[in-house]
Amino acid sequence: MKKYISLVTMLVLIAALTACNSNNRFKIEGKIAGANDSTQLWLEASNNGDWYTVDSTRANGSGDFQLAEDAPEYPNIYRLRCGDKSIYFPVDSTETLSITTSIKAFDTHYTITGSSDAEQVAKIDKQAMKYAGGRASQATLEAWKKKLAADVIIKDPASMVSYYLINKYIDNRPLYDPMNDFDMKIIGAVANAFNSYRKGDPRTQYLVQMTLDGQRRRREAMGYRGTTMQAEQINLIDIKLQDANGKIHSLAKESGHGKVTLLNFTMYDQQFSPALNKLLNDLYKQYNGKLHIFQVGLDENVSQWREAAHNLPWTAVYDADGQSSRNASAYQVTQLPTVFIIDSKGEIVERVENMLQLQNKVAKYM
């Protein structure tokens, strides 16, 4: 009798756990006209533009199919692929999406229901088909793009639809191009929103890097790359400036002492600043107690600089000479942001102008 009760109890627990797990899964189901039991389907997830297979299945003889997977920890973009054709959609948590399409027009004439974001992405992708392959003028495409920015992105820049849009390509060209002034502002708005509201999301760091890389490419295209200078040609030159509280800090005195120091020339009122400070903050936390940051602000408006500097956990000082700074000139700074890595002995070992490389370069000296 005891064994019987134990077995029943175990079965009940297994059923309960199975039911619990099923509540944390999302489903993709639907019907594909013209499909049969040899039609292979793949469910793939995005890793910031790189795709990996999550699951696969075959339609049945009537073209019906169903997939169920664990809900993502953070919302993500998925696609249902059949051969070389794909239908894209975001998945938030445990929704059930229904897709109706056909083999002949798999990725062009389909419907998707079950999620407002998925329905919006489908609508956008169908609109984009009108502009692909040179079907519309550049002016028409630009007008559509600006309408999308106003109606979708600006209204909710932290949404997965906004993320999807700034990563979307038409005819192998980015819909929102970092080399375009308007587009760069839209990309920056999404990056800032993710940085504010989705700090733990793995897409946030990707967006931060996208923004920094876009800023760098723009500066290079405009001829602001400046002269190339090897870090080993620079000796540490002392900088003595005040922080937001009026306290004077000396770079020479604060560098070395067993810690790696980042000397950063920047401006808080520039588009790149939030993304840069996010990157610096991540490094500061990662190397807790082992990394010192000495950040020199060249902003024109001291009040705005002071307000921003008060919230920073590292040494932030102000250079009233701004872009005419003798300190920046002494370090031959020709573009912002620029970072110099000072090793634990107080010697400059690296000059970094591409912030995408900063994390790996800092790691060499930790």
Side-chain angles (χ1 to χ4, degrees):
M1 184 65 180
K2 288 182 179 179
K3 291 182 179 179
Y4 177 73
I5 293 175
S6 299
L7 179 59
V8 170
T9 303
M10 183 173 66
L11 291 173
V12 169
L13 286 173
I14 291 172
L17 287 171
T18 304
C20 180
N21 289 336
S22 68
N23 289 333
N24 293 317
R25 295 167 71 82
F26 69 91
K27 296 179 181 179
I28 310 295
E29 60 186 22
K31 188 177 186 66
I32 306 172
N36 53 47
D37 55 13
S38 66
T39 302
Q40 185 78 43
L41 300 169
W42 286 266
L43 178 64
E44 299 174 332
S46 170
N47 180 22
N48 292 320
D50 295 325
W51 295 93
Y52 61 94
T53 300
V54 175
D55 199 0
S56 65
T57 189
R58 292 182 185 275
N60 64 20
S62 301
D64 298 315
F65 71 92
Q66 186 176 84
L67 290 157
E69 286 300 318
D70 291 339
E73 182 179 1
Y74 297 95
N76 199 7
I77 303 296
Y78 291 79
R79 68 183 184 186
L80 182 68
R81 181 170 64 83
C82 182
D84 60 353
K85 299 177 180 179
S86 298
I87 296 171
Y88 297 81
F89 46 87
V91 172
D92 191 344
S93 56
T94 59
E95 60 257 71
T96 296
L97 300 181
S98 180
I99 297 174
T100 303
T101 185
S102 67
I103 285 292
K104 291 184 178 180
F106 185 82
D107 59 347
T108 56
H109 293 79
Y110 63 92
T111 60
I112 184 167
T113 58
S115 158
S116 58
D117 280 356
E119 291 168 15
Q120 190 170 33
V121 165
K123 180 180 178 181
I124 290 168
D125 281 350
K126 290 176 183 179
Q127 290 174 344
M129 295 173 195
K130 300 176 182 178
Y131 305 102
R135 294 186 182 91
S137 67
Q138 186 61 32
T140 303
L141 177 60
E142 288 295 322
W144 175 64
K145 186 171 69 177
K146 289 184 177 181
K147 180 173 173 57
L148 279 178
D151 295 347
V152 179
I153 299 176
I154 299 304
K155 286 185 177 180
D156 190 1
S159 73
M160 288 306 295
V161 179
S162 295
Y163 169 84
Y164 180 75
L165 277 171
I166 66 167
N167 285 282
K168 185 171 180 57
Y169 277 66
I170 294 180
D171 294 334
N172 296 318
R173 297 181 60 184
L175 180 59
Y176 290 93
D177 187 348
M179 302 306 289
N180 177 287
D181 287 341
F182 174 82
D183 293 359
M184 191 66 236
K185 291 178 181 178
I186 298 302
I187 293 170
V190 175
N192 288 339
F194 267 69
N195 190 30
S196 297
Y197 303 112
R198 294 180 181 266
K199 289 187 179 296
D201 194 312
R203 275 154 290 278
T204 299
Q205 183 61 37
Y206 166 78
L207 291 169
V208 166
Q209 292 182 344
M210 176 193 287
T211 304
L212 291 172
D213 187 44
Q215 292 288 350
R216 177 185 59 80
R217 288 172 54 203
R218 287 166 58 79
R219 286 192 298 272
E220 290 178 359
M222 292 186 286
Y224 293 151
R225 185 171 180 81
T227 57
T228 301
M229 175 176 58
Q230 298 300 319
E232 52 267 30
Q233 296 175 330
I234 316 166
N235 292 320
L236 190 143
I237 303 166
D238 195 18
I239 296 175
K240 293 182 179 180
L241 293 169
Q242 292 183 354
D243 65 16
N245 296 313
K247 179 182 177 181
I248 295 178
H249 292 264
S250 165
L251 175 65
K253 290 182 179 179
E254 295 184 13
S255 299
H257 309 294
K259 291 184 178 182
V260 172
T261 297
L262 301 185
L263 167 61
N264 170 222
F265 291 90
T266 189
M267 293 176 74
Y268 293 160
D269 62 359
Q270 296 299 299
Q271 278 188 336
F272 65 75
S273 182
L276 171 66
N277 280 355
K278 168 67 166 60
L279 178 62
L280 291 176
N281 191 53
D282 288 346
L283 288 170
Y284 192 75
K285 289 180 178 179
Q286 180 180 354
Y287 300 110
N288 182 29
K290 298 180 181 180
L291 181 69
H292 178 57
I293 298 175
F294 194 98
Q295 190 173 55
V296 180
L298 305 178
D299 299 69
E300 293 183 8
N301 190 316
V302 65
S303 297
Q304 291 181 4
W305 171 86
R306 184 177 289 111
E307 183 179 352
H310 268 302
N311 299 320
L312 299 175
W314 53 78
T315 300
V317 295
Y318 182 69
D319 192 328
D321 291 335
Q323 296 186 58
S324 300
S325 166
R326 287 172 292 178
N327 293 304
S329 187
Y331 278 89
Q332 300 182 32
V333 174
T334 57
Q335 68 175 54
L336 297 178
T338 292
V339 173
F340 295 90
I341 302 176
I342 305 170
D343 69 12
S344 58
K345 298 177 182 179
E347 298 177 357
I348 293 179
V349 290
E350 293 261 7
R351 174 190 182 114
V352 185
E353 293 179 338
N354 181 355
M355 296 303 115
L356 293 174
Q357 300 173 354
L358 183 60
Q359 191 169 17
N360 289 336
K361 288 185 178 292
V362 169
K364 293 192 299 182
Y365 303 100
M366 302 306 294

